[in-house]
Amino acid sequence: MTLDSEYLRGSIAAVHSVLRHASCPENIFFHFIAAEFDPASPRVLSKLVRSTFPSLNFKIYIFREDTVINLISSSIRQALENPLNYARNYLGDILDLSVDRVIYLDSDLVVVDDILKLWNTTLANSRVIGAPEYCHANFTKYFTDGFWSDPVISRVFQSRKPCYFNTGVMVMDLVRWREGNYRKRIENWMEIQRKRRIYELGSLPPFLLVFAGNVEAIDHRWNQHGLGGDNVRGSCRSLHPGAVSLLHWSGKGKPWVRLDARKPCPLDHLWEPYDLYKGNLVKDQSSSSTGSSIFLGFSSYLL
């Protein structure tokens, strides 16, 4: 998971939800990716995570934003341009080489089932990632008319049957990822995007270009996404039909923002029990002379 000051409250709630429903929470190890220049320093984030989850197994890695900053193009929503959104592209480089498999989770979700079930996903036929697929979605809308009218670049899907998938929940084989140099494959599409507009969203389309049609399909219950509405209005949404193991507020609307504003959507109340925010502020006294940074205070959760 990524960890930053803006989505910190969501990340803490997500961790809480994973631990609360895990059959063996002591066996879970969290890899947190923090931005190099976030107002919350890695030291402060580590202290906060440790005070909130005293017995948690975790490590915080620093993501150098200059790794990707020159590859990011403008998006339909400014939040999607945050360099940390692209950290998932670099997990094979950031994490220790001994880490050969991970579950990647966004910060705006809660898990309501045993994460071990998701971990046990088999990535067959040398597939690199697994995720819930949505083949009924209009796949063409994720790319511009300029992309589809170009006979050369649109040919990338010629030998595949691409389906939309959301990159906020993925099982990833990092051995295959590193061997296949998938970071570079994603970067190549980002470079094309910088030269000519082939999509409107942020970090999702390059993943679709590289992986769509070659993803291990995971049950939809593991990503009930879109609960944050669309990327413009962030309006309320209802659940998709079927069982639920993970609730995901992808889109503009975030549950903690709507709850604080006393304008929650009905499903935001399902996120609320995992919120450990105490409603007070904690100052980082180690900040530079420009002033102390202010961070959220959280209740502790013991395994």
Side-chain angles (χ1 to χ4, degrees):
M1 297 178 65
T2 58
L3 206 58
D4 69 329
S5 52
E6 185 176 357
Y7 282 83
L8 189 57
R9 190 168 166 187
S11 298
I12 294 294
V15 173
H16 181 198
S17 72
V18 170
L19 297 175
R20 197 154 146 185
H21 295 283
S23 54
C24 297
E26 66 277 8
N27 290 346
I28 302 174
F29 194 99
F30 283 86
H31 303 272
F32 295 115
I33 316 298
E36 185 178 16
F37 299 115
D38 190 273
S41 70
R43 189 193 70 81
V44 169
L45 288 173
S46 180
K47 187 176 180 180
L48 188 147
V49 171
R50 177 61 65 211
S51 65
T52 308
F53 304 105
S55 50
L56 189 72
N57 300 310
F58 74 94
K59 180 176 180 178
I60 293 180
Y61 304 76
I62 297 175
F63 177 56
R64 290 175 54 96
E65 294 173 320
D66 58 3
T67 304
V68 74
I69 196 73
N70 292 324
L71 290 170
I72 298 175
S73 57
S74 60
S75 181
I76 193 171
R77 181 160 60 94
Q78 191 173 3
L80 299 177
E81 300 171 25
N82 185 335
L84 202 57
N85 282 337
Y86 296 83
R88 72 195 91 194
N89 303 1
Y90 299 91
L91 293 182
D93 304 287
I94 298 171
L95 303 187
D96 298 331
L97 285 174
S98 59
V99 181
D100 55 13
R101 179 184 171 95
V102 294
I103 295 172
Y104 177 85
L105 296 176
D106 271 351
S107 299
D108 53 357
L109 55 76
V110 292
V111 176
V112 294
D113 201 347
D114 188 353
I115 197 73
L116 181 64
K117 298 175 185 176
L118 182 59
W119 177 259
N120 285 335
T121 299
T122 298
L123 300 179
N125 301 319
S126 299
R127 292 193 177 100
V128 180
I129 65 171
E133 288 185 305
Y134 302 89
C135 296
H136 62 278
N138 181 6
F139 190 80
T140 59
K141 73 176 183 179
Y142 294 100
F143 303 95
T144 63
D145 291 340
F147 171 84
W148 292 113
S149 63
D150 188 307
V152 177
I153 58 173
S154 62
R155 199 167 54 197
V156 66
F157 296 120
Q158 199 170 52
S159 61
R160 295 186 258 161
K161 292 182 178 179
C163 293
Y164 163 76
F165 66 94
N166 180 280
T167 52
V169 179
M170 295 186 290
V171 177
M172 308 176 69
D173 186 315
L174 293 184
V175 174
R176 294 171 185 171
W177 179 281
R178 296 176 182 117
E179 290 175 348
N181 201 5
Y182 283 94
R183 170 187 61 81
K184 183 58 180 172
R185 298 190 197 192
I186 288 173
E187 286 182 336
N188 288 342
W189 283 110
M190 293 176 69
E191 288 170 358
I192 293 173
Q193 165 74 351
R194 291 282 291 176
K195 296 171 185 173
R196 48 186 300 192
R197 197 81 175 165
I198 60 172
Y199 53 80
E200 300 295 343
L201 292 173
S203 59
L204 168 65
F207 262 83
L208 296 179
L209 286 160
V210 173
F211 291 109
N214 194 23
V215 172
E216 186 68 41
I218 295 174
D219 194 296
H220 289 179
R221 68 188 301 150
W222 284 103
N223 196 351
Q224 284 270 354
H225 68 291
L227 304 185
D230 60 22
N231 282 303
V232 180
R233 295 183 300 276
S235 52
C236 296
R237 294 269 182 89
S238 56
L239 287 175
H240 307 294
V244 181
S245 292
L246 185 150
L247 298 158
H248 186 188
W249 279 262
S250 57
K252 185 178 180 181
K254 303 305 173 190
W256 57 93
V257 174
R258 297 193 292 215
L259 286 162
D260 284 355
R262 292 185 169 85
K263 295 180 180 178
C265 293
L267 292 177
D268 293 346
H269 294 292
L270 297 177
W271 179 89
E272 200 170 13
Y274 303 98
D275 184 19
L276 294 177
Y277 176 46
K278 292 189 294 190
N280 65 330
L281 299 172
V282 179
K283 285 191 175 182
D284 171 21
Q285 302 296 343
S286 66
S287 299
S288 64
S289 58
T290 57
S292 296
S293 301
I294 297 177
F295 303 106
L296 304 176
F298 296 88
S299 300
S300 293
Y301 177 80
L302 299 174
L303 298 182

